[in-house]
Amino acid sequence: MSSNHHQSVMFEKSIEGLNIKNDGIYIDATFGRGGHALGILNKLGEQGQLIAFDQDISAIEYANQHINDTRLTLIHSAFADMHQVLSEQGLLGKIDGILMDLGVSSPQLDNAQRGFSFNADGPLDMRMNQTRGISAAQWLAQADKVEIANVIYAFGEERKSRHIANAIKKFQVDTPLETTLQLANIVSSVVRSQKKKHPATRTFQAIRIFINQELKQLSETLEQTLDVLAPEARLCVISFHSIEDRIVKQFVRKYSKQKQLPKGLPIIDDGIQQTLLRDLGKSFASSEEISANRRSRSAILRIAQRTTKPNV
Ligand SMILES: C[S@@+](CC[C@H](N)C(=O)[O-])C[C@H]1O[C@@H](n2cnc3c(N)ncnc32)[C@H](O)[C@@H]1O
């Protein structure tokens, strides 16, 4: 399998969820290797447009080399820049659908040099955008053990977070911690493997989320979509772990709940004046897809629709 291969997750359901209009304008917030993007382009007519974001330059380079379509605009940027980019193009409120397929792509995981994988040795980098910020190795060198433990606990839900942080700091007394296998071995020395899961799975996930500020990016971008989406437009988000999904779920709930007006009781002012979204529910990958693509086993697709008017 080529190192550029990425099997798109929940492809049909997410493309269907976007309810693509022939001449609509769509956003693929996470281009990756363009599987979903091609699915969107296939449904669009000549007047349709697709704006695709990816903060990883290798995704943009791949698109430039492999896709020649004037309806596609590529943006090498974090999706949290969406509001600004669309505002500059006069496109706020004009987008007919947004797809977010979160996390890392297979090419990122499979390239040991990117530092995402505990299965192959490489520099402990983990940045999706290698032109910005600090690598995981730099952060682990400068952070104290409380900070490290907090990150591993908060973003990996790892109960052994303190033991791991202690082991990291102990290791660093004699040796710089610079590679993925060093980190994987440190974690394996304090965490027992469970079922088929590598003991370092949660720790790697946590550090990756922290280094890329993934949850902050997600929360900020979801809020931005309210300004970005046109009336009746769709938002489809595929997440891969419970922390991410919780953020999406709570966002949709917050803006889709109907205001109750209990007689004689004061209305609780939560700052939300209108129902801005309609919750169209969640779905999972089929058992066929899960057996063909292990990555899809934890995928949750949530779909919401921007309302036309308040409280509809
Ligand atoms: C799961 S892959 C997407 C795969 C894609 N849907 C496909 O079918 O090929 C996620 C991609 O989103 C990018 N990404 C993740 N977080 C991002 C963010 N905050 N801003 C921009 N791109 C992001 C990653 O670099 C990665 O290429």
Side-chain angles (χ1 to χ4, degrees):
M1 201 174 277
S2 102
S3 65
N4 262 323
H5 183 77
H6 178 89
Q7 183 73 45
S8 301
V9 167
M10 300 191 73
F11 178 85
E12 271 94 20
K13 281 184 187 155
S14 55
I15 300 294
E16 205 178 287
L18 286 171
N19 194 26
I20 295 174
K21 292 196 281 185
N22 208 34
D23 57 353
I25 313 176
Y26 290 84
I27 291 183
D28 179 352
T30 50
F31 179 84
R33 287 301 175 270
H36 285 106
L38 285 178
I40 297 171
L41 287 168
N42 281 342
K43 292 242 171 187
L44 281 175
E46 278 177 26
Q47 301 307 314
Q49 282 184 58
L50 175 63
I51 302 169
F53 288 77
D54 206 297
Q55 60 183 344
D56 187 341
I57 192 64
S58 69
I60 303 295
E61 283 167 355
Y62 177 88
N64 283 329
Q65 283 161 16
H66 292 87
I67 305 182
N68 181 12
D69 193 315
T70 52
R71 299 170 301 168
L72 172 66
T73 306
L74 292 159
I75 298 179
H76 176 221
S77 206
F79 50 59
D81 296 334
M82 182 184 293
H83 196 283
Q84 192 189 331
V85 169
L86 296 176
S87 147
E88 283 164 7
Q89 299 184 3
L91 288 175
L92 286 182
K94 297 190 177 153
I95 301 302
D96 295 295
I98 300 175
L99 174 69
M100 303 176 81
D101 176 18
L102 301 169
V104 280
S105 65
S106 303
Q108 287 168 328
L109 277 173
D110 294 345
N111 181 351
Q113 294 307 309
R114 301 298 304 268
F116 290 111
S117 171
F118 40 73
N119 288 319
D121 207 13
L124 194 53
D125 190 324
M126 296 201 195
R127 285 171 300 166
M128 293 189 207
N129 183 350
Q130 292 181 301
T131 66
R132 276 197 199 164
I134 59 168
S135 68
Q138 285 170 311
W139 176 67
L140 287 169
Q142 69 187 41
D144 65 28
K145 59 183 173 195
V146 174
E147 202 180 343
I148 295 173
N150 286 346
V151 164
I152 296 174
Y153 186 72
F155 302 145
E157 296 178 323
E158 169 61 72
R159 280 186 292 160
K160 290 277 176 112
S161 58
R162 258 186 281 155
H163 291 89
I164 297 168
N166 285 337
I168 288 173
K169 284 294 142 186
K170 204 166 153 204
F171 180 90
Q172 287 169 326
V173 171
D174 301 319
T175 322
L177 171 49
E178 287 171 341
T179 75
T180 49
L181 285 193
Q182 283 174 328
L183 178 60
N185 290 336
I186 294 170
V187 179
S188 302
S189 72
V190 286
V191 179
R192 250 190 272 146
S193 56
Q194 280 178 341
K195 294 178 194 156
K196 285 182 190 159
K197 237 183 187 174
H198 189 289
T201 307
R202 291 169 186 275
T203 300
F204 270 65
Q205 173 189 298
I207 297 175
R208 190 201 86 206
I209 290 175
F210 174 75
I211 289 295
N212 294 287
Q213 297 287 297
E214 291 179 34
L215 304 183
K216 184 168 177 275
Q217 280 269 326
L218 175 60
S219 312
E220 284 179 13
T221 308
L222 289 173
E223 293 286 333
Q224 293 177 19
T225 63
L226 298 170
D227 288 346
V228 166
L229 292 169
E232 305 295 345
R234 294 281 178 93
L235 173 66
C236 296
V237 186
I238 307 171
S239 56
F240 291 89
H241 52 80
S242 55
I243 314 175
E244 233 166 34
D245 180 58
R246 208 174 302 139
I247 292 175
V248 184
K249 180 172 79 181
Q250 284 171 356
F251 166 75
V252 176
R253 282 225 180 121
K254 176 175 163 190
Y255 289 103
S256 61
K257 73 175 177 215
Q258 301 285 333
K259 266 223 143 80
Q260 299 297 319
L261 302 175
K263 275 185 203 144
L265 289 174
I267 298 164
I268 298 160
D269 184 5
D270 56 8
I272 302 161
Q273 305 303 320
Q274 307 162 350
T275 301
L276 301 179
L277 292 173
R278 197 173 300 125
D279 187 353
L280 300 186
K282 66 173 174 179
S283 52
F284 305 92
S286 64
S287 49
E288 289 80 24
E289 179 173 359
I290 293 171
S291 39
N293 182 8
R294 229 177 100 72
R295 221 183 143 259
S296 65
R297 73 195 184 285
S298 48
I300 304 177
L301 166 67
R302 287 190 185 268
I303 306 178
Q305 183 164 25
R306 189 77 170 83
T307 54
T308 324
K309 286 182 253 142
N311 296 317
V312 287

